[in-house]
Amino acid sequence: MSEGKTGLPGVPPADLPKDLIDLDGLSERQITTVLDTAMAFREVSEREIKKVPTLRGKLAVLLFHENSTRTRLSFEIAAKRLSADTLAISASGSSMSKGETLLDTAKNILAMRPDALVVRHSASGVPKFLGDRLPCPVLNAGDGAHAHPTQALLDLLTLRIHKGRIRDLDVAVVGDIAHSRVARSDMVGLRKMGAKVRVAGPPSMLVPGLEEEYGVKVYDRIEPAVEGADAVIMLRVQLERQKGSLFPSSREYARVYGMNLERLKLLAPDGVILHPGPVNQGVEMTPEVFESGRSLILRQVTNGVAVRMALLYLMVESPEGPPPEPRQSR
Ligand code: CP
């Protein structure tokens, strides 16, 4: 990518690393620049013609080795709204299903001269492995239980829009912390941006050392964790990543750790609910909470497009100049 790029009035240069593997590698200033840039691109998605020429002639390859709805579609929409071409590849429809290694697949993709590679994989470390070997920017779209940086960025953007700031917010992250790449990236991003973070989950879904590693407060009950919280991020129960049963039943999980209308009253009066999706309805939260005015879950999805537009814009060389003016950062 070009050094010092934003081209946006009032937005400092981004100088992002070549690859986006997790938020550990970004400073508060770099994250702020991504969020400011995303604010500019939110406006594009509200237009009748939802397209700018910024990445005309560029190719973004979306390599998804694991199922996805929100991340894959929003990267695809983001690239298209920037006028880039996209090529989506999944494991089942590619030669990976015939035994071709990931690196060979990537080298072959590279031979087609992409300008960015977006990767989701069930194994932690795959985006870094590819980023270290390929010259184009690699964006991690979720790798195993390691990291999901674009999800954390869209969570930060959603909080900033709806709470007016991130610094000093009390944010609780509740659920399957041990198996969640979203939890990890959220903890890193929220702490970098100055939020106070509490995490809660069944002891079987927590890991030792979270306090020291992330600077968070840990609870094994949901009630004290969400009391007075400005925002609660409810995590999906990662049924596909659990080895053995970590709680007796989904019904039991909902009873002890799920968000319901009674528990919603424990939050700050204007406290909001987030969830990365897909929601296990009736497990992590009741349908009443999902549908309530306190839920920002579908707005997170909308903001995901803007964040991914910002990242593609900042990380891919663009011939067409800056996007529209951003709104002021807060
Ligand atoms: N939040 C998220 O990663 O959702 P998908 O698995 O649908 O992409």
Side-chain angles (χ1 to χ4, degrees):
M1 65 164 293
S2 55
E3 279 276 307
K5 175 181 177 180
T6 67
L8 297 168
V11 181
D15 62 353
L16 296 184
K18 172 189 155 284
D19 305 313
L20 180 69
I21 305 301
D22 194 9
L23 299 189
D24 321 61
L26 300 190
S27 64
E28 180 181 351
R29 184 181 61 78
Q30 288 171 318
I31 293 173
T32 301
T33 296
V34 174
L35 301 184
D36 287 345
T37 308
M39 289 301 286
F41 283 119
R42 272 180 98 225
E43 187 270 323
V44 172
S45 295
E46 302 300 325
R47 295 179 188 171
E48 199 177 329
I49 309 289
K50 301 175 179 59
K51 214 171 177 83
V52 289
T54 314
L55 293 185
R56 189 160 50 197
K58 300 291 176 178
L59 172 64
V61 173
L62 315 178
L63 180 60
F64 276 68
H65 202 273
E66 192 187 59
N67 293 341
S68 167
T69 300
R70 280 145 289 266
T71 312
R72 187 175 65 76
L73 289 182
S74 62
F75 261 116
E76 193 160 350
I77 291 168
K80 286 184 188 330
R81 288 193 180 158
L82 293 169
S83 301
D85 297 317
T86 59
L87 185 66
I89 304 172
S90 63
S92 60
S94 74
S95 289
M96 284 184 277
S97 66
K98 297 187 223 163
E100 185 176 51
T101 67
L102 188 68
L103 186 59
D104 281 344
T105 301
K107 280 181 179 164
N108 279 275
I109 292 168
L110 200 72
M112 301 171 210
R113 300 282 179 268
D115 298 287
L117 182 62
V118 177
V119 183
R120 168 167 290 192
H121 204 282
S122 54
S124 299
V126 165
K128 176 155 176 33
F129 176 84
L130 293 177
D132 288 348
R133 286 159 179 80
L134 304 181
C136 71
V138 173
L139 291 90
N140 182 2
D143 62 329
H146 169 235
H148 198 344
T150 63
Q151 178 67 46
L153 287 167
L154 76 88
D155 290 348
L156 291 172
L157 182 66
T158 304
L159 288 174
R160 197 173 85 166
I161 291 166
H162 291 277
K163 308 306 288 185
R165 69 186 203 289
I166 300 168
R167 180 159 297 283
D168 291 330
L169 286 181
D170 279 306
V171 182
V173 184
V174 176
D176 188 357
I177 308 291
H179 299 91
S180 174
R181 56 195 176 207
V182 175
R184 195 180 164 284
S185 292
D186 272 342
M187 288 189 288
V188 172
L190 286 162
R191 292 295 296 131
K192 275 195 187 239
M193 299 305 285
K196 292 173 269 179
V197 181
R198 318 153 181 186
V199 303
S204 56
M205 293 181 172
L206 297 171
V207 283
L210 289 168
E211 293 95 338
E212 297 76 31
E213 191 172 353
Y214 297 100
V216 300
K217 279 182 111 172
V218 181
Y219 299 84
D220 61 7
R221 292 177 53 239
I222 182 172
E223 288 82 2
V226 304
E227 191 158 2
D230 297 300
V232 178
I233 300 174
M234 299 299 296
L235 298 173
R236 190 169 76 84
V237 176
Q238 307 270 322
L239 297 168
E240 72 278 16
R241 268 192 264 282
Q242 288 178 23
K243 296 194 173 56
S245 181
L246 297 176
F247 54 92
S249 68
S250 297
R251 181 186 291 204
E252 186 68 4
Y253 183 88
R255 190 179 68 74
V256 182
Y257 288 99
M259 182 57 66
N260 53 36
L261 291 180
E262 272 309 299
R263 289 187 177 133
L264 195 58
K265 292 180 192 157
L266 295 172
L267 278 61
D270 59 352
V272 291
I273 301 292
L274 287 79
H275 189 299
V279 175
N280 293 309
Q281 291 280 3
V283 181
E284 295 103 38
M285 69 186 72
T286 60
E288 293 79 17
V289 171
F290 183 89
E291 298 293 343
S292 77
R294 309 275 290 276
S295 160
L296 301 181
I297 295 167
L298 294 179
R299 285 182 237 185
Q300 287 173 268
V301 178
T302 304
N303 293 331
V305 175
V307 158
R308 288 161 181 136
M309 286 175 83
L311 289 166
L312 289 171
Y313 167 71
L314 292 169
M315 296 179 71
V316 176
E317 290 285 351
S318 68
E320 296 284 350
E325 284 199 18
R327 294 171 205 169
Q328 284 302 303
S329 65
R330 286 181 281 199

